[in-house]
Amino acid sequence: MLVMKRLAEGSKANSDDLNCLNTCTTCGICTENCPSGVDPPQSIEDARRILVSSGTMTDTQSSLSERANFSGNVLGDSSSRIGWLRDQRGLPHKADLVYFVGCLASYRYPDIAAKTFDILRRFGAALLPDEKCCGSPLLRTGFDARELIDSNLTQIKDMGAKTLITGCAGCYTTLKNSYPDEFEVLSVPEFLAEHISELNLKPLELTVTYHDPCHLGRRHKIYDGPRKVIEAICDLKEMKANRNQSRCCGGGGGVRSGYRDLSLGMARKRLLDVPAGVDYIVTSCPLCIRNLNDAGGDGKVIDLVDLVSEAIQAIGK
Amino acid sequence: MVVLEDLRQIVGDRVTASPTELYCYSSDASLVGGMPDYVVLPKSTTEVAQILCLASEFEVSVTARGAGTGLAGGAVPVKGGIVLDMSGMNRIIEIDDDNLLVVVEPGIVLDKLNEALEPHGFFFPPDPGSSAMCTIGGLISNNGSGMRCVKYGTCRNYVLDLEVVLADGHIINTGSKMLKSSAGYDLTRLMIGAEGTLGVITEIVLKIIPLPETRKLVIASFETAETAGKAVIKTFSSGIIPSACEILDRTTIQVLKRCDPDLLIPDDDVVLFEVDGTMSSVDESAQRIVDVCATLASSIRIASGKSEMDEIWAARRLVGAAVSRLDPAKSRVYVGEDAGVPLKQIPNLIKRVQEISDEFDVPAMKYGHIGDGNLHVALFIDVMDKSQWKRLMHAADKIHRAAIDLGGTVSCEHGIGRAKAQYMDDQCGPALDTMRAIKAALDPKDILNPGKLGL
């Protein structure tokens, strides 16, 4: 906040200012605990936007923007976005329900994308024909994401979609807050919790903990849905800091791409909150999964959908 | 730049002259500002001593800083120079509960210290609202206290020994590990509240006391602040010393309810009496407060249990910063916020503050430690409106002068720093010259936190 005050007083931004502003994950725990009701992540994003619009940005920021705008995904991957889908025949062109996959699930977690779609398509979900990055990484780091948003929006309208479901917390915030309010947006945990009786879940002999992704928890107060699903399957042991006081995984706000050591350090700190005796750390955000696993989670960090898939006996008729 | 290179020789890369980082050390929670030339993060007493030798040689100012939570500009380098960020010297060196003491470095955060003491069954009582962030070094340097000092006293009651680096780099110990001592001048008490103007504290021996078995909270409401004041005096006279005794005026109650709409607190002026001790003594004391205050209070009850008590105290701790919840267009400005008067004058001070608030049309939330005469006044304005600033500063000045008129003080626990330095003549009279003489003797080059305390 002081750095922003310094810039507002007329100082020219230097690299220290940029590093300071760009090392905020915008996780919002400060907002949650501020007695005055200040929302620093909003101010941080505003400051980044003002700086970017005047051409002041780090190299990481500019390459992220180029990558996302050029390739349509934040990873700059030129391969098919639905390579994870074995049978791509007969995908509907019209549907009420659309699964918005997101860049990370599409390219880094194809299994999670496939498992999620396996569940959702039984409820009639389709895919956008040419899904692009939702725009979140650009918006979080100060850029305009209009082109990506417009491309997705056109497809959403053409599909006639009434509801978008996403398994990525970052996509969820963006679809909810930065797209026109013309369709319902649901997170995968919310959807699963709503349809829990239709999932025919089989109990598993496991004890897991749940990591609240910042963009689902603090941003949208989605705390109970994922817990309801987990408790329908196995034992849940809460992390030391949980719900609105959860620590960030360290990956958000562009911090993982710009400041890897810091990002992994935050993730290691978060892993210290994991209670003893759990088999898995369940979450519902691919960025959290990636960062926590990279920081020592060693594959024990899984998606809620991984757990649900394991527990499914048969989907409702 | 010579100084910067020399500082690097002492602390390596734990020194900065980056404009961005310097800016972050140019203020605290008050309106006082001052840009340092260098910020250094020492890790040991030896490093602090070397830095002070260097500063003395080049006559560079040195301002020690804890967490920057001060409300009077005490840690703001108003004359530039070096800021010593002591937050890295944050170890608990020894918990010696057999001897009722703990040895710490000054950068330890207060709540962290108490978390470490709890398993031993002990605590360090001073409890300012900033306990989650403030450091022990800063707390001691301002003789901070908090809600429980009505029973337990301020920092001065708990510091047994200080390791202090003097202006020329020499290191002294002001006391010992003894719980009492009559060996010469009480240099420990001299350093407490000195705001880093006489030396830099590098190690602290604190007396600790056993945690009470239990606590209870009595919530009483009153039609007027004057009646509330009478009830407090009657409580003391009946032989009860509460472990906290807080007054919250109607505006404060409104803010509290915005913070936590579930709080069951009356809308009048409220006094919270907390008692602690053994189960039976607490039951008896709480009931006696209810009986003693019954004829004066509009309502009075004992809180239902620990969770209700914890919720009320949590909201109370945040209330000072939460005034924007009442009117988002307005922010609290920390001026005139720490006045105090002798107990019996509290209703008078509250009345005078209300008159001042009305005269200058600056709204005021009034709350504080009625049990020890300390009234926190939260003046809040639209900070974008220049005319409101002018009125605010006049109102704050009048509040300070009212406190002195009533035989009180402009600062009970936040310190003088720069923000209240102009009142030191009126506050201390000829004693200020004695303070100046002490300062000149210990810091002849005036390098230690210059521009503070009205010296």
Side-chain angles (χ1 to χ4, degrees):
Chain A
M1 298 304 277
L2 282 169
V3 168
M4 286 185 274
K5 186 165 171 258
R6 177 181 125 83
L7 298 178
E9 285 169 359
S11 294
K12 197 171 179 311
N14 59 36
S15 61
D16 285 341
D17 295 318
L18 285 184
N19 286 333
C20 180
L21 293 175
N22 290 340
T23 45
C24 171
T25 63
T26 66
C27 78
I29 196 160
C30 48
T31 312
E32 195 70 31
N33 291 303
C34 177
S36 303
V38 175
D39 184 11
Q42 188 57 57
S43 307
I44 290 273
E45 285 182 15
D46 288 346
R48 288 174 182 172
R49 192 162 49 252
I50 291 166
L51 289 170
V52 164
S53 65
S54 67
T56 309
M57 66 192 88
T58 62
D59 291 345
T60 312
Q61 275 175 291
S62 66
S63 60
L64 182 144
S65 162
E66 277 168 32
R67 238 175 17 239
N69 280 314
F70 179 74
S71 65
N73 66 77
V74 71
L75 304 159
D77 197 316
S78 55
S79 64
S80 164
R81 197 169 171 101
I82 52 168
W84 51 269
L85 185 59
R86 279 207 196 107
D87 184 358
Q88 300 183 3
R89 290 169 303 172
L91 288 170
H93 301 294
K94 294 278 177 192
D96 286 348
L97 205 61
V98 164
Y99 169 40
F100 191 93
V101 190
C103 300
L104 274 178
S106 298
Y107 293 108
R108 296 288 182 260
Y109 293 103
D111 276 3
I112 295 175
K115 285 175 190 171
T116 308
F117 193 48
D118 263 356
I119 299 170
L120 296 182
R121 75 189 316 180
R122 300 181 195 201
F123 293 89
L127 299 170
L128 293 181
D130 185 24
E131 181 190 292
K132 299 275 195 281
C133 169
C134 68
S136 172
L138 296 185
L139 295 168
R140 303 284 87 77
T141 52
F143 295 93
D144 176 41
R146 184 49 43 203
E147 218 173 294
L148 296 169
I149 291 174
D150 283 348
S151 169
N152 285 326
L153 259 182
T154 306
Q155 296 174 61
I156 292 165
K157 282 177 185 163
D158 289 349
M159 290 288 285
K162 293 190 174 64
T163 302
L164 257 71
I165 305 174
T166 182
C168 170
C171 294
Y172 180 80
T173 282
T174 308
L175 291 169
K176 197 110 179 163
N177 295 354
S178 303
Y179 283 60
D181 192 16
E182 292 168 2
F183 45 85
E184 181 188 27
V185 182
L186 286 176
S187 68
V188 166
E190 282 176 298
F191 184 87
L192 295 175
E194 211 173 287
H195 293 273
I196 204 159
S197 60
E198 298 156 72
L199 296 175
N200 290 335
L201 299 170
K202 167 180 71 176
L204 301 174
E205 290 282 315
L206 293 173
T207 301
V208 305
T209 192
Y210 180 70
H211 164 74
D212 288 280
C214 306
H215 281 276
L216 284 190
R218 276 188 288 272
R219 284 289 173 102
H220 297 286
K221 315 295 175 212
I222 299 174
Y223 298 119
D224 295 334
R227 287 173 170 80
K228 184 178 167 190
V229 175
I230 290 171
E231 283 169 341
I233 298 170
C234 62
D235 289 335
L236 171 67
K237 241 178 164 177
E238 289 288 359
M239 292 183 92
K240 188 176 161 200
N242 57 66
R243 291 181 177 254
N244 67 340
Q245 295 303 319
S246 290
R247 288 179 199 278
C248 177
C249 76
V255 176
R256 181 177 159 91
S257 52
Y259 305 87
R260 187 61 58 94
D261 288 348
L262 173 72
S263 177
L264 292 175
M266 292 173 75
R268 280 192 290 276
K269 197 163 184 185
R270 177 57 172 154
L271 288 171
L272 295 176
D273 287 344
V274 175
V278 297
D279 299 294
Y280 293 107
I281 302 151
V282 179
T283 188
S284 198
C285 173
L287 186 57
C288 296
I289 294 175
R290 194 157 186 81
N291 220 40
L292 291 171
N293 272 331
D294 284 356
D298 295 332
K300 278 182 78 174
V301 188
I302 62 169
D303 195 281
L304 181 65
V305 163
D306 290 317
L307 188 73
V308 169
S309 291
E310 190 68 29
I312 283 180
Q313 273 182 320
I315 299 295
K317 302 137 201 166
Chain B
M1 291 314 279
V2 174
V3 172
L4 183 60
E5 284 312 310
D6 287 342
L7 287 169
R8 283 206 178 104
Q9 292 292 317
I10 299 169
V11 297
D13 61 1
R14 283 178 279 115
V15 54
T16 181
S18 145
T20 304
E21 294 187 66
L22 297 182
Y23 187 87
C24 294
Y25 287 87
S26 67
S27 59
D28 60 3
S30 72
L31 299 173
V32 179
M35 192 66 73
D37 297 303
Y38 319 100
V39 174
V40 186
L41 286 99
K43 281 283 188 190
S44 68
T45 304
T46 309
E47 286 183 356
V48 173
Q50 288 173 329
I51 293 163
L52 285 182
C53 280
L54 179 74
S56 181
E57 184 187 341
F58 288 93
E59 299 199 15
V60 177
S61 302
V62 177
T63 303
R65 176 183 166 109
T69 55
L71 293 163
V76 177
V78 292
K79 301 216 169 160
I82 299 166
V83 164
L84 284 181
D85 177 346
M86 304 300 287
S87 62
M89 287 180 68
N90 59 356
R91 291 178 309 144
I92 296 174
I93 295 165
E94 181 189 10
I95 297 175
D96 182 0
D97 43 1
D98 287 342
N99 281 315
L100 306 177
L101 59 87
V102 60
V103 185
V104 298
E105 290 184 326
I108 178 97
V109 168
L110 174 55
D111 276 358
K112 298 278 178 202
L113 171 62
N114 275 324
E115 278 168 27
L117 293 174
E118 193 180 357
H120 297 262
F122 283 83
F123 79 124
F124 171 66
D127 63 334
S130 58
S131 62
M133 297 87 78
C134 74
T135 63
I136 294 287
L139 187 66
I140 287 173
S141 294
N142 288 285
N143 190 29
S145 47
M147 294 191 289
R148 300 208 164 102
C149 89
V150 56
K151 174 172 179 179
Y152 292 102
T154 69
C155 280
R156 282 209 167 96
N157 300 86
Y158 295 92
V159 182
L160 302 176
D161 181 27
L162 294 170
E163 179 184 75
V164 178
V165 181
L166 298 176
D168 59 3
H170 280 91
I171 302 165
I172 60 164
N173 277 80
T174 60
S176 70
K177 288 185 172 178
M178 283 299 297
L179 294 176
K180 60 182 189 178
S181 167
S182 61
Y185 293 152
D186 192 343
L187 297 180
T188 307
R189 284 188 155 223
L190 178 62
M191 292 294 166
I192 300 166
E195 302 187 17
T197 59
L198 301 179
V200 176
I201 297 168
T202 49
E203 199 174 295
I204 302 155
V205 181
L206 295 171
K207 181 171 77 173
I208 51 177
I209 60 170
L211 278 164
E213 192 178 305
T214 190
R215 302 179 197 278
K216 264 199 172 169
L217 185 68
V218 179
I219 305 154
S221 69
F222 299 91
E223 273 180 21
T224 65
E226 201 174 352
T227 323
K230 280 182 187 162
V232 170
I233 292 164
K234 218 174 150 189
T235 300
F236 283 121
S237 307
S238 76
I240 306 283
I241 303 290
S243 52
C245 186
E246 296 287 298
I247 187 162
L248 313 163
D249 78 344
R250 287 169 171 79
T251 315
T252 310
I253 297 293
Q254 283 179 49
V255 176
L256 275 180
K257 287 186 171 178
R258 293 284 169 99
C259 291
D260 185 348
D262 298 331
L263 287 182
L264 294 172
I265 295 189
D267 293 324
D268 289 349
D269 291 335
V270 166
V271 175
L272 302 172
F273 295 92
E274 186 197 76
V275 285
D276 68 2
T278 60
M279 296 285 189
S280 56
S281 71
V282 159
D283 282 343
E284 191 187 328
S285 301
Q287 191 52 52
R288 190 179 295 180
I289 292 173
V290 171
D291 296 342
V292 164
C293 297
T295 53
L296 294 169
S298 327
S299 73
I300 189 160
R301 72 179 177 90
I302 298 171
S304 58
K306 187 175 180 305
S307 71
E308 187 188 9
M309 185 167 70
D310 289 348
E311 271 174 36
I312 290 172
W313 282 137
R316 159 64 187 88
R317 279 181 194 288
L318 294 177
V319 78
V323 75
S324 299
R325 304 256 174 184
L326 203 58
D327 182 351
K330 291 193 166 138
S331 303
R332 178 182 187 180
V333 181
Y334 284 89
V335 286
E337 85 295 342
D338 190 32
V341 288
L343 257 190
K344 213 174 164 183
Q345 297 287 6
I346 270 272
N348 272 339
L349 182 63
I350 292 173
K351 192 164 156 269
R352 296 271 284 268
V353 167
Q354 193 50 56
E355 286 165 4
I356 293 164
S357 162
D358 293 342
E359 179 188 347
F360 292 98
D361 191 22
V362 176
M365 179 171 89
K366 301 175 287 300
Y367 63 99
H369 318 311
I370 190 170
D372 54 37
N374 185 187
L375 187 70
H376 294 313
V377 179
L379 299 170
F380 49 109
I381 59 165
D382 176 354
V383 293
M384 305 304 282
D385 182 340
K386 280 186 184 164
S387 70
Q388 291 193 30
W389 273 102
K390 211 171 167 185
R391 299 203 308 269
L392 170 89
M393 298 316 280
H394 281 307
D397 181 57
K398 275 209 152 182
I399 290 169
H400 287 135
R401 299 208 178 278
I404 295 173
D405 276 356
L406 292 168
T409 172
V410 293
S411 178
C412 284
E413 56 185 12
H414 295 170
I416 295 296
R418 175 72 160 233
K420 299 181 182 86
Q422 71 267 34
Y423 301 104
M424 282 296 274
D425 260 324
D426 290 342
Q427 178 79 72
C428 302
L432 185 58
D433 287 334
T434 308
M435 292 188 200
R436 286 179 179 135
I438 294 170
K439 169 74 171 169
L442 289 179
D443 181 19
K445 293 178 180 173
D446 194 24
I447 60 166
L448 290 172
N449 205 4
K452 305 292 168 62
L453 293 177
L455 296 169

